[in-house]
Structure formats: structure tokens, C-alpha cells
Amino acid sequence: MNEGYFYQVTIEPEAQGTEEPIALQPEPQGILEKFEASLIDSYGPAAPLYALIILGVLIIVVTLPILLRKKKDPLDRFGFSNSRRDDELLTLRVDGDDGKLSGLGDYLEPTDEKELSETRKMLRSAGYKDASAVRVYFFARAGLGILLMMVAIFVFLIRPEDPDPMIALIFAGVFGLAGYFIPIYWVKRQIEVRREEIENAFPDAMDMMLVCIEGGQSLDQAMARVGVEMKLSAGPLAEELGVVTDEFRAGKDRTDVLRDFASRCAVNDISSFVTVLIQSQSFGTSVSQALRVYAAEMRDKRLMRAEEKANVLPTKLTLGTMMFTVPPLILILVGPSFIQIIRSLSSF
């Protein structure tokens, strides 16, 4: 006889109040909220930031051509654009405003006259003589800083790992500061390069100027001739001599022209040369005699600079030889013995 087994199942009522409520996210109400939610659902949580970066790039691309658009030159209506005097007009108007970033002049140029004058003087020493150079300089500092900051943020966001906002902000700040200071370094480097080129070419210019003056030309004619002859061999110095010649022709005071010439070049030799010319003019002495003595001194100084560089060269070669020759030599000589010692010690 089969015995039946009966099981009694007791169903206890569910405890009231123990069930956790399901959190429902509120539906986005506005258009921007719906657009943001759709971006997050489609491309991930970082999609709104990507959209902002793309929007910023598009705004920059659209506004830059407007800001960099060059204004029409008022002289074009007189028919000078197709004239044979273009080169002469451009030479006489080296400080003319080409209209770059003219719409942002109130925001980019310093309001302090002293700071504006010092910045313009620094840019002129670097070879940037346009009136818009100050605006372009400050725009480059701000624009490059913002650009590198955006690049740093974008690089951190496209990494496969989850981006850390704090590290991203730190790197963005570092890249932004680097972009802000890169134009400053570039301008200072250009000043040093230009100063060195002028300093190396000035003794030759002095000799040529002395030959012209002894040949019967005046100081103005000698500077103009030397500026023309040295365009290919010494462009910066020829350009400065061309500016001096134009100022002489415009009737500017000779002393002021020479002092401005020394201030633009920022070379000690040219400052001494200007002092010699002013003193010679003040005391009525012979300009050719003063130039002959000063030209000989310039040649001696250039020879001394060459000798100084030649004397420093053996020290530099010695350091390079020690750095790249001694370590490999020691490794070759001591290496096998060191390996044998390690093998002998490892056998114990």
C-alpha cells in the first residue's frame, strides 16, 4: 500500500512597507534638456562636453575670417595699387596699419600708454613694425592658450579610461599657460636672432659707409647706398638703414633719427656709433676720421668675439667627448670583469 505524503505550504503575507520604491528620473521638459538627454543616450555622458567643444571650434572658424579681414586701403582709389611706385609706398609706410583684428583693438591693446609703448618697442626690435603687431601679439597669446587648453581637455576625454576631471583641469591649465607664454618666448628669440645678425653685419656696413664718405658722399647718401647694397647679405640691418634714409628724406631731425635707429636695433655697437656721429656733428669734427677709427674698433671687436667662441669650443668638445665616449669605454673594459664577479659570487 502506497503511503501518501502531504505537504502543507504556508504563504505568509508580504510585509508592508519593506519594498523599496523605484526611483524614476524626471522627464526632461525643455528643448535643451531633451537635446542633452538624447546626446547622453546616444554617445555617452561626455557627449555634451564634446558638443560644446565642437560649437566653440565652429564659432572660432566663423569669426576668425571676419576679424582678420583686411580693410581697404584708402590710397587704392587713387590708382596706386597698380603703379610702379608700390615698393616706394610700402617702404615709406612701414608703420602703417594693415587692419588686422581692428575690431578687437579695444580688447587686445593695453590701455596703459607705457605698457603699449614698451610692447610696440619690443615688437619693433623683433622686426614686427606694423601698427597691428600689438593686436596680433596679444591675440596670439590668448588664442594659443585657449587652443592648447581645449586640446588638452579633448585628449583626456577621448581616452578609453574614465577621465579624472581634476587631472584634466590641471593639464588643461598647464597647456593653457604654455600656449600663453610661447609667443613671448618666440618674440624674445626673434629679438636675439635679429640683434645677432645686425651685430655681425655692422662692421662690414661701417667699412662700406667709410668708403662712400671718403668717395665724396654725405652721411645720408652713404647710409642709403649701404642699405641698398646689403639687402641680400644683411636684411635686418639694410631694413633699418632704409628706415633711417626715409626719415632723413622726410625732414626729421638728424639727432632724433640716429637715436631712434639705436633704440630700434638695441645693439651696443650701434649705440656707440650713434654717439660718435652726434658728438662729431656737435663739435664739428670730421665724420670720415671718426668713422675710420670706429670701423677699425668694430673689426677688432668682431675678431675678439670670434676668438672667444674659438676658445670656448675645446671645452664644449671635451664635455661632449667625456659624455659620449667615457661611459661606453668603461662599460667595454669593466663589463666582462663585472660579469665574471657576479658568476663567481652566484656559485657559492
Side-chain angles (χ1 to χ4, degrees):
M1 179 175 177
N2 294 331
E3 294 180 0
Y5 296 93
F6 299 94
Y7 299 95
Q8 184 176 1
V9 179
T10 304
I11 301 175
E12 296 181 0
E14 295 179 0
Q16 296 181 358
T18 59
E19 194 176 282
E20 295 182 358
I22 300 174
L24 299 176
Q25 296 181 354
E27 295 183 357
Q29 300 295 330
I31 298 177
L32 293 178
E33 294 180 355
K34 292 181 179 179
F35 181 68
E36 182 180 0
S38 63
L39 286 177
I40 293 174
D41 294 338
S42 301
Y43 302 103
L49 186 56
Y50 294 157
L52 288 177
I53 294 174
I54 295 174
L55 180 62
V57 172
L58 290 177
I59 292 174
I60 292 174
V61 170
V62 172
T63 55
L64 272 181
I66 300 174
L67 296 175
L68 297 177
R69 184 175 57 186
K70 183 178 179 180
K71 292 184 178 180
K72 187 177 181 180
D73 195 343
L75 292 178
D76 290 343
R77 62 179 180 174
F78 296 105
F80 288 153
S81 58
N82 297 324
S83 175
R84 290 180 299 178
R85 298 178 57 195
D86 280 350
D87 296 337
E88 184 179 353
L89 289 173
L90 291 175
T91 303
L92 293 175
R93 302 181 64 201
V94 292
D95 293 335
D97 192 352
D98 54 5
K100 292 180 180 179
L101 302 175
S102 58
L104 298 178
D106 297 335
Y107 304 100
L108 295 176
E109 294 182 353
T111 56
D112 188 7
E113 291 294 334
K114 183 178 180 181
E115 183 181 359
L116 179 61
S117 177
E118 291 178 354
T119 306
R120 186 175 289 118
K121 180 180 177 182
M122 179 183 65
L123 293 175
R124 284 181 178 178
S125 299
Y128 305 108
K129 295 183 173 60
D130 295 333
S132 62
V134 178
R135 297 195 295 265
V136 175
Y137 171 67
F138 283 102
F139 179 78
R141 291 172 63 179
L144 192 58
I146 295 174
L147 179 62
L148 290 183
M149 188 182 300
M150 295 174 61
V151 169
I153 295 176
F154 182 74
V155 168
F156 265 86
L157 290 177
I158 63 176
R159 295 190 311 168
E161 301 86 2
D162 293 335
D164 190 351
M166 184 59 65
I167 298 178
L169 289 177
I170 292 174
F171 272 86
V174 171
F175 274 72
L177 289 176
Y180 182 79
F181 286 106
I182 282 176
I184 301 176
Y185 170 77
W186 172 261
V187 171
K188 291 184 177 180
R189 178 61 182 168
Q190 289 297 113
I191 291 174
E192 294 298 328
V193 171
R194 193 167 184 270
R195 185 181 301 169
E196 186 176 357
E197 291 180 358
I198 293 175
E199 188 176 9
N200 292 332
F202 188 64
D204 297 332
M206 288 289 300
D207 293 335
M208 295 177 63
M209 202 178 302
L210 178 60
V211 171
C212 294
I213 291 177
E214 289 182 347
Q217 293 183 345
S218 63
L219 181 63
D220 306 353
Q221 295 173 344
M223 285 189 171
R225 182 60 182 271
V226 172
V228 172
E229 295 293 335
M230 299 191 69
K231 279 186 178 180
L232 297 178
S233 60
L237 182 58
E239 182 181 355
E240 294 298 336
L241 291 176
V243 174
V244 171
T245 303
D246 294 335
E247 290 179 348
F248 280 152
R249 292 175 180 174
K252 191 175 180 179
D253 185 64
R254 185 181 298 272
T255 304
D256 295 338
V257 171
L258 294 175
R259 286 176 178 171
D260 292 342
F261 172 51
S263 177
R264 289 193 305 269
C265 295
V267 178
N268 294 329
D269 296 340
I270 294 182
S271 300
S272 302
F273 165 72
V274 168
T275 304
V276 169
L277 290 182
I278 293 175
Q279 290 179 353
S280 176
Q281 180 182 357
S282 301
F283 295 109
T285 59
S286 175
V287 177
S288 61
Q289 184 65 27
L291 286 180
R292 185 180 296 107
V293 175
Y294 195 72
E297 184 180 353
M298 288 297 100
R299 287 194 297 271
D300 294 339
K301 289 183 68 174
R302 183 169 63 177
L303 182 60
M304 291 174 60
R305 288 196 297 266
E307 290 178 351
E308 288 178 359
K309 292 182 178 180
N311 293 331
V312 174
L313 186 59
T315 304
K316 295 181 178 179
L317 291 177
T318 302
L319 292 176
T321 303
M322 292 177 61
M323 185 178 300
F324 296 105
T325 305
V326 175
L329 183 62
I330 293 176
L331 184 61
I332 293 172
L333 296 177
V334 184
S337 302
F338 188 70
I339 294 173
Q340 288 295 113
I341 293 173
I342 293 177
R343 290 178 179 176
S344 301
L345 293 177
S346 61
S347 62
F348 291 102

